[in-house]
């Protein structure tokens, strides 16, 4: 053996998904922010889920922090190392394991990390991400969309779910929503979430910006919900064709902002991943069909 031979450099950890996944490409899209708000609207329709949130946190005072922590977790799970994703997930599971909710009608106390509640949160997120991306013009074939749903069994495991019990493609995801729909309702807590998302507390100097920007985004996220969600919330939405046109226009506008500029926003998950894995790891829609 050549004593002077240098060791091969260590292979960088691609993380849970890796640069060849649909998830890696899709989560770099700016429409994920609209999709995230849609997910909040959808998640709030499950009474036990929304009670668990409202009874364990001051949602109105810390809603922005909650939104950013969720976005940071998704970014870490998508673009971080395997170790970083596992550590972030362990923190989330530990917090959830200590929280309970109370059904005001029966007095029943339940854990917020019950599998059926975690599954609803997971499926509402994946459905929202997939729905908004595709409807706004992100190029996802049926096969790629199925791959995306299947890839997120890995994310489901992070929060404590058995991947085998989680929908693995679009058909299974649709069947899950059909099954759970009778359990959905819009009670007091759901109305509070709706009120916050429509009119979040804002510094007086930023009220105009809230009306001009935030409400447009929140209204678009709400409009993209399925019809049964609009019925439960009791608020109408524009015709589907109008909503699709608005989603596409918003997508065109946001995607016109250079990616490198968008990715500069903290905590810079994508730029750190590219630094770790090389420029070939850059997320791009065109890579989905490869």
């Amino acid at each position: 053996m050549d004593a002077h031979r240098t060791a091969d450099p260590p292979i960088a950890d691609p993380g849970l998904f890796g640069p060849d996944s649909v998830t890696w490409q899709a989560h770099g899209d700016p429409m994920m922010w609209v999709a995230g708000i849609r997910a909040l609207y959808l998640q709030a329709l499950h009474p036990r889920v929304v009670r668990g949130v409202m009874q364990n946190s001051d949602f109105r005072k810390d809603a922005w922090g909650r939104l950013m922590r969720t976005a940071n977790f998704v970014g870490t799970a998508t673009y971080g190392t395997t170790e970083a994703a596992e550590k972030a997930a362990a923190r989330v599971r530990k917090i959830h394991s200590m929280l309970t909710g109370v059904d005001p009608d029966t007095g029943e106390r339940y854990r917020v990390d019950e599998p059926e509640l975690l599954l609803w949160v997971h499926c509402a997120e994946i459905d929202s991400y997939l729905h908004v991306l595709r409807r706004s013009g992100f190029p996802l074939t049926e096969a790629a969309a199925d791959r995306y749903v299947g890839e997120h069994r890995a994310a489901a495991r992070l929060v404590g779910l058995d991947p085998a019990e989680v929908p693995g493609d679009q058909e299974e995801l649709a069947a899950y929503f059909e099954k759970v729909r009778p359990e959905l309702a819009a009670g007091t807590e759901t109305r509070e979430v709706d009120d916050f998302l429509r009119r979040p507390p804002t510094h007086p100097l930023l009220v105009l910006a809230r009306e001009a920007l935030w409400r447009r985004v929140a209204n678009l996220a709400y409009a993209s919900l399925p019809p049964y969600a609009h019925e439960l919330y009791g608020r109408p939405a524009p015709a589907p064709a109008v909503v699709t046109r608005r989603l596409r226009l918003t997508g065109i506008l946001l995607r016109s902002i250079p990616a490198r500029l968008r990715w500069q926003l903290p905590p810079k998950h994508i730029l750190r991943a590219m630094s770790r894995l090389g420029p070939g790891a850059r997320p791009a829609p065109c890579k989905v069909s490869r």
Side-chain angles (χ1 to χ4, degrees):
M1 181 180 292
D2 185 354
H4 299 288
R5 181 181 176 183
T6 58
D8 292 333
I11 299 175
D13 178 12
L16 294 179
F17 296 99
D20 294 330
S21 67
V22 176
T23 297
W24 191 277
Q25 321 312 329
H27 285 190
D29 192 86
M31 288 298 287
M32 283 286 290
W33 288 101
V34 178
I37 299 171
R38 181 190 190 269
L40 291 177
Y41 271 118
L42 198 53
Q43 289 165 351
L45 288 174
H46 195 298
R48 289 166 75 91
V49 168
V50 73
R51 283 173 190 149
V53 172
M54 303 302 279
Q55 291 175 11
N56 285 285
S57 65
D58 193 336
F59 182 82
R60 282 190 166 274
K61 289 186 178 179
D62 190 40
W64 295 117
R66 186 180 183 86
L67 287 171
M68 294 309 297
R69 287 192 296 272
T70 299
N72 186 45
F73 179 75
V74 173
T76 299
T78 305
Y79 299 109
T81 63
T82 302
E83 181 183 12
E86 296 288 356
K87 284 185 176 180
R91 288 193 294 270
V92 170
R93 291 195 304 270
K94 182 177 181 180
I95 293 171
H96 287 172
S97 71
M98 298 184 290
L99 303 179
T100 61
V102 177
D103 186 324
D105 298 324
T106 65
E108 175 196 2
R109 182 171 292 277
Y110 59 91
R111 293 170 59 106
V112 302
D113 62 355
E114 290 180 354
E116 60 267 31
L117 305 187
L118 295 177
L119 184 59
W120 170 253
V121 172
H122 171 83
C123 289
E125 286 183 356
I126 300 311
D127 179 76
S128 293
Y129 299 161
L130 187 60
H131 182 88
V132 168
L133 287 173
R134 297 189 80 185
R135 202 171 172 186
S136 66
F138 191 89
L140 282 174
T141 63
E142 290 297 321
D146 282 337
R147 278 179 54 202
Y148 179 81
V149 177
E151 288 171 0
H152 279 273
R153 282 178 161 170
R157 179 189 62 78
L158 286 181
V159 298
L161 287 165
D162 178 355
E165 301 297 323
V166 176
D169 58 30
Q170 294 179 94
E171 183 177 356
E172 292 180 2
L173 187 62
Y176 167 78
F177 278 104
E178 194 65 29
K179 176 183 177 181
V180 80
R181 273 180 60 178
E183 303 174 27
L184 306 181
T188 301
E189 296 92 346
T190 305
R191 304 293 179 190
E192 290 183 34
V193 172
D194 183 28
D195 183 59
F196 170 82
L197 290 175
R198 295 168 71 185
R199 290 176 292 273
T202 306
H203 188 282
L205 295 177
L206 298 177
V207 170
L208 290 179
R210 181 188 67 183
E211 297 302 307
L213 299 175
W214 173 262
R215 290 197 67 176
R216 289 176 183 269
V217 173
N219 287 341
L220 183 59
Y222 174 83
S224 69
L225 288 167
Y228 69 80
H230 298 146
E231 292 176 10
L232 290 172
Y233 273 107
R235 293 200 286 122
V242 174
V243 178
T244 299
R245 184 167 63 249
R246 291 178 181 173
L247 284 168
R248 285 186 172 273
L249 288 173
T250 303
I252 291 171
L253 176 63
L254 293 180
R255 291 166 190 144
S256 68
I257 302 172
R260 276 281 184 174
L261 180 60
R262 291 189 272 109
W263 296 341
Q264 287 290 341
L265 294 174
K268 303 183 180 181
H269 290 295
I270 294 176
L271 293 180
R272 293 213 305 267
M274 290 170 61
S275 176
R276 183 175 83 247
L277 299 170
R282 177 188 176 95
C286 64
K287 295 180 180 180
V288 172
S289 59
R290 289 181 181 177

